[in-house]
Amino acid sequence: MRKASLLDLHEKDGVLSGDRYLFTGSSYEFERAVRYPDESASPQDTSEAGEVSVSLPLELLNFRTLKLPFSDREKLAKVVPFELQGLMLEGAGDIVFDTVVLGSSGDEWEVLVAYIEKSVLGEILAKLSESRIDPPAVTSLELRTVLASGKDDLASRLLGPVMMTPEERMEAVRSELQNPTINLRTGALAYTKDTEKSRRMLRTTVILSVLLALLIHSYLGFGMLTTKTRAAAMKKELRGIYTGLFPKEKTVSDELYQMKSHLKEIRDKGDALIGVAPLRLLLELSHAAPPGVSFSEMGIERDLFTLKGEASSMAEVEKTKTSLSEVLKDVTVSDIRPSAGGKTLFTVVAKGWK
């Protein structure tokens, strides 16, 4: 469970002491109060208290009121040191400060500057560090109470003692933990624990990211090497299969492409022969050809028959054409010429079956 506390300091005879109010939970439920300094407290007691903010009494702080044409905190942080140069004995570089915007009038903003000498706050923080206390915020409960009464007679009220009932102080403590009125941990005395923690976390994140990137790179590199090895083995196996199917082919540059080319050639030849009946054609020729006609060559495609034959006379050629026309379509006779033996050579072309 979240823990937080506020150390309410008071100065007496140059010695700082006070009460540390401990709260738990996000709603800041009061747990207990312990004295500071507590010689009997162990380091574990302080660490279990979570973050410890610190409240300073008004007598340790100095105040100046300025009128400026803006109220932006970043601009105020840059301009206030120059505005204070002529209003205080200390140099602007010797103090730490914070601002509270009191209100506006026309185009001007009334700003209260609360500051403390850097050396004084440095000594207080050094003393607190001996008790393992490093406050993220240094504020003032009494300043919150004074400002809650309005701006009237503000200067005199900042110089006088501030009276609060225990209930009012407890409510002020809870409010300061939720939203500090001021925070004097600025400049050279700024709270750096969270920044250092963020830097460590960022450094760890960067290291883990680099390690993860190296791991991914190694995994991808190993995967690529394995893939290349498998691809080489498959290519070698494919070449062995290809040379087994086509042993006469000497030049092999792309087994897959050349295999596809051969398959296309086979498919085209197969398509050309689909529906062809060679035995039927031979049977019809045996019936159609007269005794003096013989065929020496026959070409068969799906829709085209080419027959080369020899006849003893032209009459037998005509008779053969007539007989074939009864079963074949578009029968033509061409390339008629005499042979050396006194016979007639001819070619018959037909376009499929009727």
Side-chain angles (χ1 to χ4, degrees):
M1 182 178 293
R2 177 183 177 184
K3 291 181 177 290
S5 61
L6 185 139
L7 176 56
D8 184 15
L9 291 177
H10 304 282
E11 185 182 34
K12 185 176 181 180
D13 299 328
V15 178
L16 287 174
S17 62
D19 297 303
R20 190 168 80 238
Y21 299 91
L22 282 71
F23 296 82
T24 58
S26 58
S27 59
Y28 294 95
E29 296 293 333
F30 177 68
E31 182 179 320
R32 69 184 189 275
V34 296
R35 288 295 298 169
Y36 171 85
D38 185 0
E39 300 297 336
S40 62
S42 65
Q44 184 178 0
D45 295 333
T46 302
S47 61
E48 289 180 352
E51 291 184 347
V52 183
S53 297
V54 171
S55 170
L56 298 179
L58 285 182
E59 55 263 29
L60 291 180
L61 304 179
N62 295 292
F63 300 94
R64 292 290 186 274
T65 302
L66 303 176
K67 290 188 177 181
L68 299 169
F70 50 80
S71 61
D72 182 75
R73 293 184 66 87
E74 292 186 4
K75 291 182 179 179
L76 289 174
K78 295 177 180 178
V79 171
V80 166
F82 298 100
E83 296 290 334
L84 293 179
Q85 288 289 353
L87 301 178
M88 62 183 190
L89 298 177
E90 304 90 343
D94 298 328
I95 65 169
V96 289
F97 68 91
D98 200 2
T99 57
V100 178
V101 177
L102 300 176
S104 63
S105 176
D107 295 333
E108 287 187 328
W109 295 84
E110 190 173 0
V111 178
L112 176 67
V113 181
Y115 65 93
I116 186 173
E117 291 185 31
K118 190 183 300 181
S119 59
V120 174
L121 182 57
E123 291 178 2
I124 295 174
L125 294 176
K127 183 65 176 178
L128 293 173
S129 68
E130 296 176 2
S131 301
R132 302 174 64 88
I133 297 176
D134 184 17
V138 175
T139 183
S140 175
L141 293 176
E142 296 175 355
L143 177 60
R144 171 178 285 273
T145 303
V146 170
L147 293 177
S149 300
K151 295 189 299 180
D152 295 339
D153 200 21
L154 179 62
S156 61
R157 286 188 287 115
L158 287 173
L159 296 175
V162 179
M163 305 302 294
M164 286 186 283
T165 65
E167 292 78 11
E168 291 173 340
R169 184 171 292 276
M170 182 64 66
E171 186 58 34
V173 170
R174 186 178 285 106
S175 299
E176 283 298 312
L177 285 174
Q178 295 174 341
N179 183 24
T181 304
I182 58 172
N183 188 0
L184 297 175
R185 293 218 63 176
T186 60
L189 299 180
Y191 181 69
T192 59
K193 188 175 180 179
D194 287 343
T195 303
E196 292 173 357
K197 183 178 179 181
S198 299
R199 288 177 179 173
R200 288 196 300 269
M201 292 178 63
L202 179 60
R203 190 181 303 112
T204 302
T205 302
V206 171
I207 293 173
L208 291 176
S209 299
V210 171
L211 291 176
L212 179 60
L214 291 175
L215 181 61
I216 294 174
H217 180 74
S218 300
Y219 175 77
L220 293 177
F222 178 76
M224 292 178 63
L225 180 61
T226 303
T227 302
K228 287 182 179 179
T229 303
R230 292 178 59 188
M234 292 177 64
K235 185 175 180 66
K236 183 177 180 180
E237 183 180 356
L238 181 61
R239 174 156 297 195
I241 295 173
Y242 184 84
T243 54
L245 293 174
F246 306 99
K248 295 183 179 180
E249 206 165 317
K250 303 301 180 183
T251 304
V252 183
S253 58
D254 190 332
E255 298 86 350
L256 183 60
Y257 176 79
Q258 290 176 242
M259 179 73 78
K260 289 182 178 180
S261 178
H262 283 297
L263 289 175
K264 183 177 183 303
E265 183 180 351
I266 294 171
R267 189 181 299 111
D268 292 342
K269 289 182 178 180
D271 292 342
L273 294 175
I274 293 176
V276 174
L279 293 178
R280 180 184 175 188
L281 181 60
L282 290 174
L283 181 62
E284 294 294 338
L285 288 177
S286 65
H287 293 159
V293 176
S294 62
F295 291 95
S296 59
E297 187 176 335
M298 181 173 60
I300 303 175
E301 297 181 13
R302 176 180 293 182
D303 296 320
L304 184 65
F305 301 148
T306 303
L307 307 172
K308 292 186 178 182
E310 185 181 56
S312 57
S313 65
M314 280 296 300
E316 293 177 345
V317 173
E318 290 296 328
K319 187 177 179 180
T320 300
K321 176 183 177 183
T322 302
S323 298
L324 290 176
S325 296
E326 295 177 359
V327 294
L328 301 176
K329 295 187 297 184
D330 299 332
V331 178
T332 59
V333 177
S334 62
D335 196 20
I336 301 173
R337 64 183 187 279
S339 67
K343 294 187 177 184
T344 301
L345 301 175
F346 65 95
T347 301
V348 177
V349 178
K351 296 182 179 180
W353 302 95
K354 283 188 176 181

